Amino acid sequence: MTRQWQDLHSPDSSASLYLRALSRRKISGDQLPTSGLRCRLRVQPDNLAAYRRLCHFTDNGRLPATYPHVMAFTLQLQLLTAADFPFPLLGLVHLHNSIQVQRPLGGIDGLHFAVYADNLQPHPKGGTFELITEAEDGLGLLWRETSRILVRGLKLEAAASEPVEAEPASELAEVTRWYADSDIGRRYAKVCGDYNPIHLSAPTAKLFGFPKAIAHGMWSKAMAMAALSGHLPAAGYVFEVDFLKPVRLPSEVVLSASAAGAQGELRLDGHADLLHMLGRWQPIAPN
């Protein structure tokens, strides 16, 4: 497939994109657009510092591996609210996130981003697609993210196979635990721009079927990667997680993981045997 690219000087304002999202509540088709968006985006030092504080990353001279996701979020939002995108933004569910760090993320003041959607597949609850985000510097591909997203209620002609249930990793040692307080969704949104109502308050979460506000999945992943920084190499690895039971706010969670090494596993548990997140890291497979 030949992808058509739209090159932007800058993304639209997030306020206008959220207004566009609020105006679209129905599925309008069952085909993903073949177009994508590209834009050069600069690191904002004050925002980066606030993100490090929020997610407990130390300042080691490199971008946190999850920070390019924050840089590209408005560009992703623009793709997902475009007129030719068939699924309403509100109600999409983030199931899986994979980040590849090709080379060390140091000495960066800006990156060239490309964002597109691909791989629409049937699912027992509707359909899934992948939101792909790539970041390049002057030497080529530096970082890549794949988010698998569920569209509930989507009807596709192909039969849906039952998803493979993630197997909880065993014999993992506790690394740390943290308390997700009731306003972490609002604090994350202020820094990262993700104002999905399910994260902001109990009343807004109830509009979408959640009894309480839930933590952003990418905040939980960032907190895990910050806590496991001593387990991970500087580059040449992929870190992926499955988002399982949401973290209802407020609550305490426990992060357990394998020992430091080229590959390993992690899990994020809550009270009452709730399993919130399973993940793994390993070297990037050669092409």
Side-chain angles (χ1 to χ4, degrees):
M1 178 183 66
T2 301
R3 195 165 302 281
Q4 299 171 327
W5 293 103
Q6 180 182 359
D7 292 297
L8 305 177
H9 177 70
S10 63
D12 293 345
S13 71
S14 57
S16 67
L17 295 173
Y18 275 112
L19 286 173
R20 188 185 301 168
L22 288 170
S23 69
R24 297 180 57 192
R25 303 299 294 271
K26 294 183 178 180
I27 295 172
S28 61
D30 59 4
Q31 298 289 326
L32 291 171
T34 59
S35 58
L37 300 178
R38 296 189 300 201
C39 187
R40 176 172 171 78
L41 301 169
R42 298 186 64 84
V43 174
Q44 303 297 325
D46 290 346
N47 180 260
L48 174 57
Y51 182 77
R52 285 191 172 117
R53 291 192 299 269
L54 180 72
C55 302
H56 299 184
F57 284 102
T58 59
D59 186 355
N60 60 4
R62 300 193 300 267
L63 296 183
T66 48
Y67 190 67
H69 169 87
V70 177
M71 293 177 66
F73 180 75
T74 306
L75 194 64
Q76 295 173 343
L77 197 61
Q78 185 157 340
L79 181 84
L80 296 175
T81 57
D84 62 348
F85 200 81
F87 313 134
L89 177 69
L90 298 179
L92 296 180
V93 180
H94 197 174
L95 298 180
H96 176 89
N97 182 271
S98 173
I99 287 176
Q100 296 180 12
V101 181
Q102 300 280 348
R103 289 178 280 112
L105 302 176
I108 295 169
D109 63 357
L111 291 167
H112 293 277
F113 283 93
V115 177
Y116 61 96
D118 202 3
N119 195 25
L120 185 63
Q121 297 289 336
H123 185 277
K125 295 183 179 179
T128 63
F129 69 93
E130 292 178 345
L131 179 64
I132 314 295
T133 306
E134 297 175 336
E136 296 186 353
D137 61 4
L139 298 177
L141 183 66
L142 182 67
W143 177 96
R144 190 175 197 266
E145 176 187 56
T146 302
S147 293
R148 186 163 66 249
I149 296 174
L150 171 66
V151 186
R152 290 180 291 193
L154 177 64
K155 299 185 184 301
L156 298 174
E157 290 185 6
S161 57
E162 286 296 326
V164 178
E165 293 292 335
E167 290 291 335
S170 59
E171 298 183 7
L172 300 180
E174 179 178 335
V175 175
T176 188
R177 57 181 63 200
W178 62 81
Y179 186 72
D181 57 36
S182 58
D183 72 340
I184 188 59
R186 295 187 292 275
R187 291 193 285 124
Y188 184 91
K190 184 177 179 180
V191 172
C192 303
D194 186 349
Y195 284 92
N196 189 322
I198 63 176
H199 304 303
L200 303 182
S201 69
T204 57
K206 287 178 181 177
L207 296 174
F208 296 89
F210 293 91
K212 293 184 177 181
I214 63 174
H216 291 79
M218 289 304 294
W219 177 72
S220 296
K221 180 173 183 176
M223 289 286 287
M225 293 194 77
L228 295 172
S229 59
H231 291 57
L232 305 173
Y237 69 94
V238 56
F239 192 107
E240 57 183 338
V241 298
D242 296 304
F243 299 116
L244 303 173
K245 297 293 185 181
V247 178
R248 295 181 181 179
L249 303 177
S251 62
E252 184 183 48
V253 295
V254 179
L255 175 69
S256 304
S258 309
Q263 60 186 41
E265 298 178 287
L266 66 127
R267 58 184 291 156
L268 189 69
D269 291 283
H271 292 292
D273 296 323
L274 284 178
L275 179 57
H276 297 301
M277 188 171 75
L278 284 177
R280 61 217 63 86
W281 69 90
Q282 61 189 24
I284 295 174
N287 293 328

